[in-house]
Amino acid sequence: MRILVIGSGGREHALAWKIRQSGKCEKLFSAPGNGGMSESAELVNIQADDIKGLLKFAKDNNIGLTVVGPEVPLVAGIVDAFRKEGLAAFGPSGELARLEGSKVFAKEAMKRFGVPTADFMVFDKAEEALAYLDTRQAPVVVKADGLCAGKGVVVARSIDEAKTAVKKMMVERIYGSAGDKVIIEDCLSGEEASILVISDGKNVVPLASSQDHKRVFDGDRGPNTGGMGAYSPAPAVTDEIFKKIMDSVIYPMINGLAKEGKPYKGVLYAGIMLTQDGPKTLEFNVRFGDPETQAILPRLRNDLVDLMEKAVTGELEHYRLDWDPRPCVTIVMASGGYPGEFQKGMEIEGLRDVKNMRDVMVFHAGTKLGSRASDTRGLYITNGGRVLNVTALGSDIKGAIDNCYAAVKKISFGKMHYRKDIGYRAMKV
Ligand code: AMP
Ligand code: GLY
């Protein structure tokens, strides 16, 4: 089968790497892909949100399965557009992608299905949201309804900070229409974990648990990023807690949507806070996590293409996954300055030195082939904030962390930044 992976991050490189291992994959394309992905896929110069262009490419090139990485095309209805033309695309419909595309839609679904989450109120007028904040005590969480590239959540330590967030979202409209509505909700505390499952609309196949590190600096300080590292499994998610999350969050959502005549197909990613009162849902994403996927897929022994195909065709009953028991850790090497301003175009050195390290994989994110690539094979330059995901398995979590940093230390580029403490929470458990 000919397969297309849409997107250009580390997540997509990990998906492409795993898809290439499938006996079902004859040829792999990636749109638009990144430098490193050119080793496992043919890059196609079409952007991830160009649904018309992608559809035309898939039709013209006899693509049997399309795998959508990022949320934007999913929310824009790419799976519906492909399905209409008889093409298989892995992911939810545009309507159900609103579980990520509209936090109000997600909260209302959780309420209908009795899924534990923070108590909340929805506002579509700034004055009412501000007046409500006068009745609240900090901390409190303010969320813009729509997609904000991961920036739409403010955990406010004071009521003034919460009011400022409401004004920015609803009056200054810094996120445009994404701030037409805001949610004000209780602040939860505890450890966070990511639970990803694959569903065919009826049946659910859980992936291994994981945790990511969102803050840019060691000790979970500094601004939020897309993620600076991750590991799987998450030791905080014991078997008992995992079962509780499946029973209280995942099954009620999948079954509830099915009962409403809207079967959810694709990956459902629940961001969970492990509170003292049990697991509560922070958010849903309708796609694979980044960088969680980079730490999960190296542990998966099954054929990912088969799994995704069966999710599309509704054949996941009794499907069981087989996992490498060894933990996996991924460390993001980023451009200095990220998530703020940063420079691109730095030459990356040392990639060849890690190529043959056992149980080490490097998934590229913001890279492209450099101009000297033709005479120096494999020369890449930086082309984004998050540049590489250096990933390693180990016999235990410490072993995986050590293997990962041993590889990271061999790689360098100008002004690089990476956290030195990825996995520290897992070591404490
Ligand atoms: P979300 O996009 O809803 O997951 O929010 C992004 C991040 O904000 C989460 O990963 C949490 O760290 C934090 N967050 C979201 N909602 C809450 C909440 N109710 N209480 C505390 N932290 C939250
Ligand atoms: N790692 C967080 C996310 O993928 O949303």
Side-chain angles (χ1 to χ4, degrees), residues 212 214 226 269 285 287 289-292:
D212 72 348
K214 292 196 165 72
Y269 161 152
N285 295 317
R287 50 168 175 82
D290 189 348
E292 289 95 326

